[in-house]
Amino acid sequence: MNYKNPDEHGYYGEFGGAFIPEMLYPNVEELQKNYLEIIESEDFQAEYQDLLTNYVGRATPLYLAKNLSQKYNTRIYLKREDLNHTGAHKINNALGQVLLAKRLGKRRIIAETGAGQHGVATATACALLGLQCIVYMGEIDIQRQAPNVARMKMLGAEVVAATSGSKTLKDAVNEALRDWINNPVTTHYVIGSVVGPHPFPDLVARFQSIISKEIREQLKEKTGRENPDYVIACVGGGSNAAGTFYHFVEEKEVKIIAAEAGGLGVDSGKSAATTFLGTLGVLHGSKSLVMQTEDGQVIEPHSISAGLDYPGIGPFHAHLFKEKRAEFFSINDDEALKCAFELTRLEGIIPALESSHALAVLDKKKFNENDVVVICLSGRGDKDMETYLKNL
Ligand SMILES: *Cc1c(COP(=O)(O)O)cnc(C)c1O
């Protein structure tokens, strides 16, 4: 069984594909035809790898968290994606896609953003590589995330408010898709997670797979073996998790754990735990698990962390869930908060709220003393200080 590569139509088992309006066919087909050849070329890889090393600051450390390990009586390694330029894993994908867009002859980049992290990463890549950047963002999110809006503007991006619907992330996605339909020749749409029509889930997973490539090399150096006993990551759309799992999904001895946002609890009506609550449906161009009513209306998700506040999940993860290749935990807001404070006090690292959901798995599952447990620390907590202060 091959978990990590979709078939030629972009399917992971029954999930994936490309469900798009006819007007988008030319854009998506251009990508489908060209992405692999371009991103696997020597020329592309040389430029991309050089930027990852010298601009982003990779490889990120794989840090043996001794105090945390002692508390949970196991061996815990943190993959420090929080130390990347712009503070999270999202830059790995944004840089890769903007480089790809340049090679496709595009001059204009569009992106959607919820909390603003993907918008900042994309605006950063565009500033560096000299492309025009337009970021769609829900009107409400623009008000909630003022510091990131300021960053994007300083980086030279135009931030456009999505004023329809609930004025949040899914409305921003719709606006971005509309823009792409109207500007097919000049524009590339940088999707921020392993979601969207084929080839985006595969494209984004490949750019994020650097995370598990490095984990294997670093573990080999530190412990003598490439495979840990467990890898753990949080899942919003699923890009940091896809990157963390990528080089381990075909390694049977490695157990894979995904942490979803339970919000106020899976039964509370205020949750974002898609594998627990979702059913088969189509969202943003691919078939996957979606939180929806019986007649297919998307249900508004809730999570304390904006990055996990999404009513769907990438098809790669839906497949891992269905095949039971990964174990899914639902972590509530208060459990994530507790673990954010715990990591800060034990290790002197303030994690993003999203990443704290992955840390909270330590409370839910019993690990053995000799287990090697790798947790992806997807981002840093600067952006969440307001929430942390309120709960101090
Ligand atoms: C955006 C974000 C996430 C969630 O996105 P994925 O695509 O699921 O990785 C997780 N952690 C941080 C720090 C983020 O910024």
Side-chain angles (χ1 to χ4, degrees), residues 14-54:
E14 66 185 290
F15 307 106
F19 295 80
I20 49 172
E22 209 174 312
M23 309 259 290
L24 269 182
Y25 284 178
N27 309 37
V28 171
E29 270 173 10
E30 182 186 27
L31 264 185
Q32 288 174 351
K33 282 205 188 90
N34 295 300
Y35 81 107
L36 279 181
E37 193 182 319
I38 293 176
I39 70 172
E40 284 175 354
S41 72
E42 232 170 84
D43 169 63
F44 180 95
Q45 281 298 324
E47 189 173 1
Y48 182 50
Q49 296 300 333
D50 177 65
L51 284 175
L52 287 180
T53 305
N54 297 304

Side-chain angles (χ1 to χ4, degrees), residues 87-90 117-118 192-194 234-241 307-308 352 354-355 378-380 383:
H89 64 290
K90 289 204 170 73
Q117 295 300 106
H118 174 57
S193 192
V194 285
C234 67
V235 177
S239 69
N240 87 89
L308 304 184
E354 291 83 358
S355 321
S378 54
R380 58 174 166 250
K383 68 183 180 58

